[in-house]
Amino acid sequence: MKIQIAGTGRFLPEKVLTNADLEKLVATSNQWIIERTGIHERRIAAEGVCASDLATPAARQALEAAGMKPEEVELIVVGTSTPDMNFPSTACFVQSKLGAVKAVAFDVLAACSGFIYGVSIANNFIKSGQCKNALVIGAEVYSSIINWEDRTTCVLFGDGAGAVVLKAGEGESGILSTHIFSDGSKSADLYTPGGGSVNRFTPDLVSEKKYALCMKGNSTFKVAVKSMADAARVALEQNGLTGADIKIVIPHQANLRIVSAVAKQLGLDESLFYINLDRYGNTAAASIPIALDEVVRNGRAGKGDLALMVTFGGGFTWGSVLVRL
Ligand code: UT7
């Protein structure tokens, strides 16, 4: 028995925020953003649109591709660090919006790695017989935790959602391995200080913008490159494979220079790596499932091909999923 990706989906908000738009907000330039990140534009959710609003249509599309009805779903895992609310979980809101009445629903908080963590968890739930299928979603509204006066972060992120349906099946296709890792000693390099029990909600929290994401970009960059390369290596080694066996690498879409450096560390051609960060920026936990859905739908990889997904995010958290599509 293999745990297979039975369907994929994505949903991006319509509104496009270009580098030229950001030039009007902060002291930045189209040239700097493109040279240092590779990002040209990103999508921004309209006022009042929350993570479950993006997750639900992505999930519907994945269910349709899998030929499944919402009532058949047994587990919903949402990877998000911009949930609708602190609680209930965004997964519960998605369950309700879909009408997935039978599903157990919960969120995973692993920042940009939330989707890969979710796949790892759902894979184990299905393998152990606790459920027959799972909807794993990455959904983010990072525009809600951005300090729009901070040029070092506001140019990087975007909003969106991606989803997969996992279920047990026969044949060659399926998840070959999942590896997830954490290092809490680096939590202060990438975090949102406010809104939890450390910096409680006060008027100061808002005026000091403590709800907003903070990142030490340079040190995060270095750890991201090493961690993503390590996570890719362990997946290949455990499966007795080399880069030559892989049809496509789907990396977390944080920065084109990170992807180039990971490719170099692994001795792989950059053309093996799927890139959409030019159009969407960094959509955190949504970045890999959005890219995976594009890959499946645009035919860049298809049934029988090996796809290696590699992530890195706040925590720090990182990991990989190797799958035969
Ligand atoms: O998804 C989770 C994981 N996220 C990541 O892994 C992101 C990792 N970090 C990065 O992608 C990069 O570090 C950044 C894109 C955030 C920054 O690029 P960098 O090449 O590391 O730039 P830097 O932070 O070293 O800054 C270089 C210069 C600074 O000016 P000075 O001090 O040299 O005068 C910055 O103030 O660039 C300046 N700068 C900008 N200039 C124009 C920073 N942001 C901007 C900007 N526009 N938006």
Side-chain angles (χ1 to χ4, degrees), residues 45 53 62 67 158 175 193 217 289 315 320:
D53 291 333
I175 293 173
S320 59

Side-chain angles (χ1 to χ4, degrees), residues 190-263:
L190 177 50
Y191 70 120
T192 52
S197 48
V198 172
N199 292 304
R200 298 179 187 200
F201 283 107
T202 59
D204 286 351
L205 182 128
V206 176
S207 62
E208 290 166 14
K209 293 195 163 60
K210 282 201 171 130
Y211 55 81
L213 170 151
C214 303
M215 178 167 69
K216 291 181 190 142
N218 227 271
S219 47
T220 302
F221 186 109
K222 287 174 194 143
V223 186
V225 172
K226 184 186 178 306
S227 305
M228 286 170 75
D230 285 349
R233 249 184 238 114
V234 73
L236 293 174
E237 277 167 22
Q238 181 174 316
N239 292 286
L241 299 168
T242 69
D245 300 304
I246 302 297
K247 176 72 175 181
I248 196 155
V249 182
I250 302 175
H252 171 49
Q253 307 281 319
N255 186 323
L256 191 55
R257 289 187 297 129
I258 292 180
V259 178
S260 305
V262 170

Side-chain angles (χ1 to χ4, degrees), residues 27-28 32 36-37 112 151-152 155-156 190 215 217-218 220-221 224 252 254-255 257-258 282 312-313:
T28 191
W32 190 96
R36 306 310 292 165
T37 72
C112 300
R151 69 174 182 172
T152 68
V155 302
L156 303 174
L190 177 50
M215 178 167 69
N218 227 271
T220 302
F221 186 109
H252 171 49
N255 186 323
R257 289 187 297 129
I258 292 180
N282 179 350
F312 179 81

Side-chain angles (χ1 to χ4, degrees), residues 38-288:
I39 300 166
H40 292 236
E41 58 186 43
R42 65 292 288 145
R43 301 297 181 90
I44 302 292
E47 194 70 38
V49 169
C50 59
S52 68
D53 291 333
L54 305 183
T56 303
R60 279 205 193 99
Q61 206 179 53
L63 286 171
E64 201 180 301
M68 268 172 63
K69 294 193 177 68
E71 308 87 89
E72 296 172 68
V73 176
E74 296 189 10
L75 172 66
I76 300 174
V77 183
V78 176
T80 185
S81 37
T82 47
D84 288 16
M85 298 179 184
N86 269 342
F87 77 87
S89 69
T90 300
C92 280
F93 289 117
V94 173
Q95 181 208 27
S96 168
K97 287 177 182 177
L98 285 175
V101 287
K102 212 165 75 180
V104 175
F106 58 84
D107 290 356
V108 174
L109 179 46
C112 300
S113 303
F115 173 76
I116 293 299
Y117 269 53
V119 169
S120 177
I121 292 163
N123 184 45
N124 283 314
F125 263 69
I126 301 173
K127 265 206 278 193
S128 69
Q130 269 191 275
C131 60
K132 288 195 193 63
N133 62 58
L135 192 48
V136 184
I137 305 167
E140 303 280 16
V141 185
Y142 260 53
S143 59
S144 66
I145 57 161
I146 291 297
N147 174 357
W148 291 102
E149 291 169 3
D150 176 9
R151 69 174 182 172
T152 68
T153 54
C154 76
V155 302
L156 303 174
F157 295 94
D159 302 335
V164 298
V165 172
L166 299 182
K167 66 179 186 194
E170 301 294 329
E172 286 299 299
S173 296
I175 293 173
L176 300 183
S177 63
T178 69
H179 291 91
I180 53 176
F181 306 94
S182 318
D183 178 3
S185 72
K186 302 270 173 33
S187 54
D189 282 9
L190 177 50
Y191 70 120
T192 52
S197 48
V198 172
N199 292 304
R200 298 179 187 200
F201 283 107
T202 59
D204 286 351
L205 182 128
V206 176
S207 62
E208 290 166 14
K209 293 195 163 60
K210 282 201 171 130
Y211 55 81
L213 170 151
C214 303
M215 178 167 69
K216 291 181 190 142
N218 227 271
S219 47
T220 302
F221 186 109
K222 287 174 194 143
V223 186
V225 172
K226 184 186 178 306
S227 305
M228 286 170 75
D230 285 349
R233 249 184 238 114
V234 73
L236 293 174
E237 277 167 22
Q238 181 174 316
N239 292 286
L241 299 168
T242 69
D245 300 304
I246 302 297
K247 176 72 175 181
I248 196 155
V249 182
I250 302 175
H252 171 49
Q253 307 281 319
N255 186 323
L256 191 55
R257 289 187 297 129
I258 292 180
V259 178
S260 305
V262 170
K264 201 169 162 200
Q265 278 217 3
L266 293 169
L268 297 178
D269 199 291
E270 253 186 83
S271 62
L272 206 59
F273 289 68
Y274 188 75
I275 297 295
N276 64 11
L277 60 82
D278 51 329
R279 290 175 283 134
Y280 304 140
N282 179 350
T283 56
S287 92
I288 289 179

